[in-house]
Amino acid sequence: MTESFRRSGEYENPQGPQGDAYQGAYPQQQHASSPVNPEWPPPPTHQPAQQPSAPEDGTAVLPTVGLDAEHPAEHPAEHGTHSAPKKRTRGPIVLLAAVAIVAAAVGGGTAYAFQELTGKNNVVSSSTTTSVVPSSKKGDVASIAAAVSPSVVEVNATLSNGTSTGSGVVITSDGEIVTNNHVISGAQSVKVSTSDGKSYTAKVVGTDSSKDLALLKLEGASGLHPATLGNSDGVQVGDTVVAIGSPEGLTGTVTSGIVSALNRDVTVSTDEGQQQEQQGGGSGQWPFSFGGQQFNGDTGSSTTTYKAIQTDASLNPGNSGGALIDAGGNIVGINSAMYSASSDSSSSSSDAGSVGLGFAIPINTVKSDLAKLRSGSTS
């Protein structure tokens, strides 16, 4: 795994601008405009004009057709009878406009417009064909970083034997954060720092060790920038991807690469004691295995296996729980594990580094697990 770990008293986690090359470098952006809720007009203050009755001399009075408030009748009824102009009724027209807005939201592949109409703080989701960055900047790493960096946070967990540093992804504006379970496993307290330098206390809402996922909720947070969750089923080998996280506490670090492989069976430990033992072993890497081989240490006897996206984008300790992003700026994975060049427990974490073998949990797996995490499950 790719969270960084140190024992108490070894060193202080660097804070501030010197540890974050990208922090504050990009303006915060909204991913979509907020539609306005339509309001129904009040009922008319008078009854509609009645059709004049036929005169006693038998002359027929023809009804008027196709008139509205902007085009009144040019030839009023004869015999001195004048019909009062009808007030334009706006209810049905506004209803059609409201339906058109909702239809456009669904047809466009994004839940944002519907979210604003209903007033619910739901996860922003889109297909991978939707670009968070301008279409002319698709695949441009600088544009992707500018758009998504405000949605990636640093997660610091205080453990009984030290601290664990990882990353997380903002999924709602009021502070729901997705991260890896192994980043916060056994935590006595959790602090989260956003890209603008603000710090929040976070509580663990739910965990799923079988998928190495956890959901945090920030206390007193509002107005955050939720990431747009894409569709990992549309990811292909060779696609350009960008990773954003906090390796070694360097908040907002951006790296890029491609998707190297899909559906890798990555096996990780689910035993908390084993997790903390490996974290404290000095390698700074989370133990995992695939293809029958162990990496970064022994995963132990209590394990789980999930399908992962493999990438050669550089991942280092502290990237765990961060974002893997497609060329359009959509989140397609949560970074979770990397191969370390040094798996010897006697070596220091500074000897370890990315060698182009990183793994991410597909975002569709995350989306399917959100309801369980929000319910408070701690499996």
Side-chain angles (χ1 to χ4, degrees):
M1 292 302 173
T2 55
E3 91 290 353
S4 64
F5 175 85
R6 67 178 182 275
R7 293 186 181 277
S8 299
E10 286 186 351
Y11 59 90
E12 292 297 327
N13 187 31
Q15 300 291 335
Q18 66 273 22
D20 180 7
Y22 283 83
Q23 181 176 337
Y26 303 103
Q28 296 178 347
Q29 301 180 356
Q30 281 285 12
H31 298 322
S33 59
S34 301
V36 179
N37 280 325
E39 297 182 359
W40 293 101
T45 57
H46 59 82
Q47 296 297 322
Q50 300 294 325
Q51 185 72 26
S53 57
E56 295 181 356
D57 60 2
T59 303
V61 179
L62 298 177
T64 58
V65 180
L67 302 180
D68 57 29
E70 296 179 0
H71 300 84
E74 297 179 1
H75 304 285
E78 297 178 359
H79 306 289
T81 303
H82 296 275
S83 299
K86 295 183 180 180
K87 185 176 181 179
R88 185 177 184 182
T89 302
R90 300 180 182 272
I93 298 175
V94 176
L95 175 60
L96 291 175
V99 172
I101 292 174
V102 176
V106 176
T110 176
Y112 189 83
F114 185 74
Q115 169 187 336
E116 292 298 317
L117 284 173
T118 58
K120 294 181 179 179
N121 197 10
N122 293 329
V123 176
V124 181
S125 182
S126 78
S127 70
T128 53
T129 59
T130 301
S131 289
V132 175
V133 298
S135 57
S136 62
K137 296 291 186 179
K138 187 174 182 179
D140 180 70
V141 175
S143 298
I144 294 170
V148 184
S149 288
S151 304
V152 181
V153 300
E154 179 179 309
V155 179
N156 291 284
T158 301
L159 311 175
S160 60
N161 61 343
T163 60
S164 175
T165 300
S167 306
V169 176
V170 180
I171 61 170
T172 63
S173 61
D174 64 348
E176 281 188 343
I177 308 292
V178 169
T179 186
N180 287 142
N181 177 59
H182 73 259
V183 172
I184 52 84
S185 180
Q188 298 174 337
S189 64
V190 180
K191 295 285 186 181
V192 170
S193 300
T194 55
S195 64
D196 58 3
K198 294 181 180 179
S199 181
Y200 298 88
T201 298
K203 67 175 182 178
V204 179
V205 176
T207 60
D208 187 348
S209 60
S210 67
K211 296 182 176 66
D212 195 18
L213 292 172
L215 182 67
L216 309 178
K217 182 66 168 63
L218 306 188
E219 296 180 359
S222 63
L224 301 184
H225 297 266
T228 301
L229 308 186
N231 177 14
S232 52
D233 288 345
V235 174
Q236 298 180 2
V237 174
D239 283 353
T240 298
V241 286
V242 173
I244 302 179
S246 299
E248 300 291 0
L250 301 176
T251 307
T253 297
V254 178
T255 57
S256 64
I258 63 168
V259 173
S260 306
L262 298 171
N263 299 317
R264 292 295 199 198
D265 289 325
V266 174
T267 300
V268 298
S269 173
T270 59
D271 182 74
E272 181 179 309
Q274 175 74 9
Q275 292 172 3
Q276 294 192 23
E277 177 184 347
Q278 293 296 338
Q279 288 174 344
S283 68
Q285 305 298 318
W286 188 251
F288 68 96
S289 65
F290 70 86
Q293 294 181 301
Q294 297 279 345
F295 299 90
N296 306 339
D298 186 3
T299 56
S301 58
S302 179
T303 62
T304 186
T305 301
Y306 58 83
K307 299 288 186 180
I309 299 171
Q310 182 179 325
T311 177
D312 68 351
S314 295
L315 302 180
N316 289 285
N319 272 115
S320 281
L324 188 70
I325 311 155
D326 70 9
N330 304 293
I331 310 298
V332 292
I334 299 297
N335 299 320
S336 59
M338 62 158 289
Y339 169 69
S340 169
S342 176
S343 59
D344 185 357
S345 62
S346 64
S347 64
S348 67
S349 60
S350 62
D351 294 331
S354 175
V355 294
L357 286 175
F359 302 91
I361 302 166
I363 202 63
N364 286 6
T365 299
V366 178
K367 290 193 287 188
S368 67
D369 209 36
L370 274 179
K372 177 180 178 180
L373 295 172
R374 284 172 167 160
S375 72
S377 174
T378 55
S379 62

